[in-house]
Amino acid sequence: MYDSKVIRRRRAALAIFVVLSLGLLTVYFGESSGGALHSVQRGVQAVFSPLETGVNRALKPVRDLFGWVGDTFEAKGENERLRDEVAELRERLGESETARHDVRELRQIVGLHETEGFPQGTDPVGARVIVRSPTVWYATIGIDKGSDDGVRVDQPVIAAGGLVGKVTDVSGGSAQVTLITDASSAVAAQVMPNGATGIVHPVVGKPDDLLLDYISKGRRVTEGTTVVTSGFETEDGRRSIFPRGIPIGRVTKVDPDEAEQFQRVHITPLADIRGIDYVQVLTERGITTQAGIPAQ
Amino acid sequence: MKRTPDAYLRCALIAVAAVLLQISGLGSGRVLGAYVDLAPLIVAAVAIYAGAVPGAAMGFGTGLLLDLLVGQTLGASSLVLTAVGYGVGRYREVRDPAHGLMPIPVGAAATLAWVVAFAAVSFMLDIGATVSWLVLREMVATTLIGALLALPVFAIVRRVLRPVLLVDPVDLRRRRRAPRDAGPIGLRGLEV
C-alpha cells in the first residue's frame, strides 16, 4: 500500500505535466508564427535536421520493406492484376529498383515543368523528404532544403504528378511543407478545359480524395478532367500564393447537391501524396504563358 | 526507477531514438493502411516497468519532442502521451500484471488511447475540414500494429532500462514461481 505522501507526490507530478501541456497549447495558439515557442520549434528542427537526413537515408530499405508488406496485405483478396502488382513490389525491394524509382520520380517532377500550361520561370529547388507527420490530423512533411537554398514561407511545392502543398515554416537547412491533404489546406483551383473555378479542400483520413467546392451548378464538370491551380489575382492586389496552371488532380465524381447552390466535385490528387520522396519548391512565382488555359 | 542521471539519459535516449525512427524511418511505412506508431509503445513500456510518474514524464517528453520535430501544435501530443503514461503506470501499480504476453494488450490499449485521444484533441483544436469515416479504420489498424510490435518494443525498452530499475516486474514474476521439483506448498519432498 502507498502512503499519502507518495500518492500526493504522484498526483502533483501528473498535475504539473498536464498544466505544462495545456500551457504550451495555450501559448502556442496565442502567439504569432514569429513567437517564442515557434522559434524554439524552428531551432529544434534545425538542430535535428542533419540527424533526420541521415536516419532517413539509412532506413530507406526498411521503409520500402514496410511499404511492400503493407501493399501485400491490401492486395490480398483482390484479382489477378493486383497479384502482378505485388510481384512488382517485391522486385522493388532490391537496391537497383529503389534507385530506379528515385530517378523516375525525379524525371516526373522535371517533366511536369514541360507540360502545357505549367508556369515557367519558377526557379525550382529540388529537395528530399526527411520527415513525415505520423498522424492523419497533421499532413505535413519536412524537407532538407531551407532558407539557405532560397526557400521561403508560402512557396508552392510540387512532386511527381502535380501540386503537393506549400512551405509553412523555414529554418536554415530545412523546411516544413503543409500538404494539400492537411485539414487547414485550401487551394484556389480551376477545372480544365472549361475554366470553372472553386476551392480544393481535403477530406481528413482520405488522402486520395479531395473536394472541389463552390463550383456553381451552371458549370458542367465532367469526370476525368484535370483540375489546376487558378492563381487568382484581385483588383486590390491580393493574389493566390500558387501560380496559375499547376496540376492538382483529376475529377473522379461530381456530386450535385439539390439543396445547395454549388455542386461538390471529388478529385484524386495527381501526385502520390503518401509516397513522396522528392519534391521541388517553386521559389519564383513564374508566369503562365502557354496556351490551353482559358482566361478567368 | 532510480533517480540518477543514468536513468534520465536512458529514457531520453529511448525517446529520441523512437521519435527519430518514427518521423524519418517509419513515417511512410504503412501496414494494413496505417502508420507504425512507436510513441505510445515506448511510453507504455517505460510506464509498465518504471511506474506512473516516470511514465507520465516519459509521455510528456516524448510528446514534446514529437511536436517540436514534426511542427505540430506544441503540447497536443504531450498532453495525450502524459495521460497514456500515467494510466499505464497506474495499471501496473494497482494490478501488477505478471503474464509474459502482457505487453500485447497493454501496447494495444496504449496505442488505442493515443489515437482516440489525439483525434479528440485535434478536433477540439483546429480541424475545420471534412473528416472521413476511414479515420476509424486507420485507428483500428494502428492499434493492431501497436499490438503486434508491443512485444519487441517492450523487450528493447526493458533491456535498456533494466540497470536503472528498482524492481523489474519480469524478474519479480520469475522469483514468485515455486521451484519445479517442489510440492504443492513449495517444500521439497511433500509431493501429494
Side-chain angles (χ1 to χ4, degrees), chain A residues 62-142:
Chain A
V62 180
R63 278 203 311 280
D64 290 343
L65 181 68
F66 267 101
W68 174 74
V69 171
D71 288 341
T72 306
F73 270 111
E74 283 168 16
K76 278 216 167 191
E78 295 203 21
N79 60 19
E80 201 63 37
R81 183 179 61 81
L82 284 178
R83 282 171 200 254
D84 294 339
E85 266 186 34
V86 172
E88 188 189 321
L89 285 168
R90 263 195 204 110
E91 289 172 20
R92 286 190 191 176
L93 275 175
E95 199 175 321
S96 60
E97 190 66 35
T98 305
R100 213 160 72 189
H101 166 79
D102 289 352
V103 169
R104 192 165 54 231
E105 193 173 334
L106 289 166
R107 271 194 190 143
Q108 282 174 342
I109 299 177
V110 173
L112 195 62
H113 292 275
E114 288 153 18
T115 55
E116 189 182 16
F118 194 90
Q120 300 302 303
T122 51
D123 197 10
V125 171
R128 180 189 279 266
V129 177
I130 54 170
V131 169
R132 291 169 172 86
S133 171
T135 78
V136 292
W137 303 98
Y138 294 92
T140 57
I141 54 171

Side-chain angles (χ1 to χ4, degrees), chain A residues 1-13:
Chain A
M1 271 290 142
Y2 294 97
D3 62 25
S4 58
K5 196 175 166 190
V6 173
I7 293 171
R8 270 206 307 276
R9 196 183 297 158
R10 192 179 63 218
R11 286 178 182 166

Side-chain angles (χ1 to χ4, degrees), chain A residues 2-50:
Chain A
Y2 294 97
D3 62 25
S4 58
K5 196 175 166 190
V6 173
I7 293 171
R8 270 206 307 276
R9 196 183 297 158
R10 192 179 63 218
R11 286 178 182 166
L14 176 68
I16 287 168
F17 289 128
V18 169
V19 168
L20 270 175
S21 300
L22 291 173
L24 281 172
L25 272 171
T26 311
V27 176
Y28 192 87
F29 258 94
E31 69 177 22
S32 66
S33 60
L37 286 182
H38 283 80
S39 302
V40 170
Q41 198 168 37
R42 274 193 293 276
V44 173
Q45 282 172 355
V47 169
F48 275 84
S49 167

Side-chain angles (χ1 to χ4, degrees), chain A residues 2 7 9-11 13-14 16-22 24-26 28-29 37-38 40-42 44-45 48 51-53 55-57 59 62-63 66-71 73-74 130-138 140 176 182-184 201-206 211 264 274-277, chain B residues 3 16 20-37 52-53 56-58 60 64-76 78-80 82-83 86 90 93 114-115 118-123 125-135 137-139 149:
Chain A
Y2 294 97
I7 293 171
R9 196 183 297 158
R10 192 179 63 218
R11 286 178 182 166
L14 176 68
I16 287 168
F17 289 128
V18 169
V19 168
L20 270 175
S21 300
L22 291 173
L24 281 172
L25 272 171
T26 311
Y28 192 87
F29 258 94
L37 286 182
H38 283 80
V40 170
Q41 198 168 37
R42 274 193 293 276
V44 173
Q45 282 172 355
F48 275 84
L51 205 57
E52 286 162 355
T53 308
V55 174
N56 189 277
R57 284 191 183 163
L59 292 179
V62 180
R63 278 203 311 280
F66 267 101
W68 174 74
V69 171
D71 288 341
F73 270 111
E74 283 168 16
I130 54 170
V131 169
R132 291 169 172 86
S133 171
T135 78
V136 292
W137 303 98
Y138 294 92
T140 57
Q176 186 187 317
D182 187 84
S184 64
H201 292 288
V203 178
V204 176
K206 279 177 86 176
L211 289 177
R264 182 170 263 203
R274 286 183 168 183
I276 318 166
D277 286 318
Chain B
R3 289 185 189 175
V16 171
L20 274 180
L21 261 177
Q22 176 76 64
I23 62 173
S24 296
L26 305 174
S28 66
R30 294 176 67 80
V31 182
L32 299 171
Y35 294 106
V36 177
D37 213 336
V53 175
M58 184 73 180
F60 180 79
L64 189 62
L65 190 62
L66 196 63
D67 288 340
L68 281 169
L69 291 183
V70 175
Q72 293 171 176
T73 307
L74 277 192
S78 301
L79 184 66
V80 177
T82 296
Y86 186 81
R90 284 299 293 146
E93 287 165 0
W114 154 248
V115 292
F118 192 79
V121 170
S122 301
F123 254 119
L125 290 176
D126 57 354
I127 299 295
T130 317
V131 177
S132 162
W133 286 106
L134 287 179
V135 166
R137 191 188 72 177
E138 180 134 348
M139 285 177 176
L149 286 179

Side-chain angles (χ1 to χ4, degrees), chain A residues 178-205:
Chain A
T178 296
L179 301 176
I180 54 175
T181 50
D182 187 84
S184 64
S185 169
V187 182
Q190 197 168 22
V191 183
M192 292 297 136
N194 74 358
T197 56
I199 305 288
V200 172
H201 292 288
V203 178
V204 176

